[in-house]
Amino acid sequence: MKVSELQSILLEELKFLLPDWKFIKSKREFQRSEEGLVWYLHIGCINHLEDFDAVADVAVEFKAGKERLCIVGAELGNIEGRGQLRFPVSNREAAKSSAFELYEHFNERGLPFLRKYSDPAEVVGTLRNGGAEAMLISPFLNQHQDQINRLSSHYGISM
């Protein structure tokens, strides 16, 4: 079976497991939107000759109309503190079981991350404190102050 077919099976399984999420095929990501917030679950594929490993990251995007104020996110394994978490797929059965395992990790680690960092005050506080957690949610240190300023200004968080 082609790697692309295996990827399709994994993504179809995830679509079944995430019925309330909109799937954007061209980006391999699932989205949920509320006013001013977008949650993302992005699926990456690390291709090998005859199989692939799926990886997943989550993100929260803060918006003012169509303008992005800030986006923070992390890979599921990094949220757990163990480095990149890969879900191997080599055949149809592995695609289905890896999809379910990825979904379970998303529920255990990804959703709590999304809920926590959907609070702009939590994001601002984390970025202000700096350190490992700030680098986890936003790895570009040179953007932290701009993210703090944008969120603080828009949501009335005291500087």
Side-chain angles (χ1 to χ4, degrees):
M1 185 173 285
K2 292 181 180 178
V3 172
S4 60
E5 293 170 332
L6 292 172
Q7 291 172 355
S8 293
I9 294 168
L10 177 101
L11 293 170
E12 287 300 317
E13 287 295 314
L14 286 171
K15 287 186 336 191
F16 174 77
L17 293 167
L18 298 163
D20 297 335
W21 290 69
K22 179 181 177 182
F23 181 67
I24 311 298
K25 183 177 181 177
S26 63
K27 297 181 180 182
R28 268 197 220 126
E29 70 186 17
F30 294 84
Q31 295 179 4
R32 278 186 81 170
S33 299
E34 292 181 15
E35 189 174 323
L37 276 180
V38 182
W39 282 3
Y40 296 97
L41 168 61
H42 176 262
I43 308 302
C45 296
I46 301 162
N47 295 331
H48 307 118
L49 201 52
E50 295 182 15
D51 60 7
F52 75 99
D53 295 327
V55 294
D57 57 87
V58 294
V60 177
E61 180 181 28
F62 294 90
K63 297 185 90 165
K66 294 186 180 204
E67 178 189 3
R68 175 186 287 172
L69 297 172
C70 176
I71 188 165
V72 295
E75 193 272 336
L76 291 182
N78 289 331
I79 294 169
E80 293 181 54
R82 65 184 203 174
Q84 189 180 68
L85 181 59
R86 293 185 179 204
F87 301 89
V89 177
S90 57
N91 56 47
R92 179 178 300 278
E93 294 75 31
K96 291 180 178 188
S97 65
S98 285
F100 185 75
E101 187 180 342
L102 189 154
Y103 172 75
E104 289 292 307
H105 274 83
F106 170 68
N107 282 328
E108 293 170 11
R109 301 292 186 196
L111 280 176
F113 179 97
L114 293 171
R115 288 184 191 110
K116 178 178 181 178
Y117 292 109
S118 289
D119 177 356
E122 183 71 35
V123 174
V124 168
T126 299
L127 294 175
R128 279 185 182 153
N129 290 336
E133 191 172 357
M135 292 302 290
L136 171 69
I137 70 169
S138 181
F140 302 107
L141 186 59
N142 64 337
Q143 294 180 8
H144 288 189
Q145 191 57 55
D146 184 52
Q147 292 169 316
I148 291 167
N149 293 344
R150 289 171 148 262
L151 289 176
S152 295
S153 173
H154 185 76
Y155 291 101
I157 300 167
S158 62
M159 303 282 279

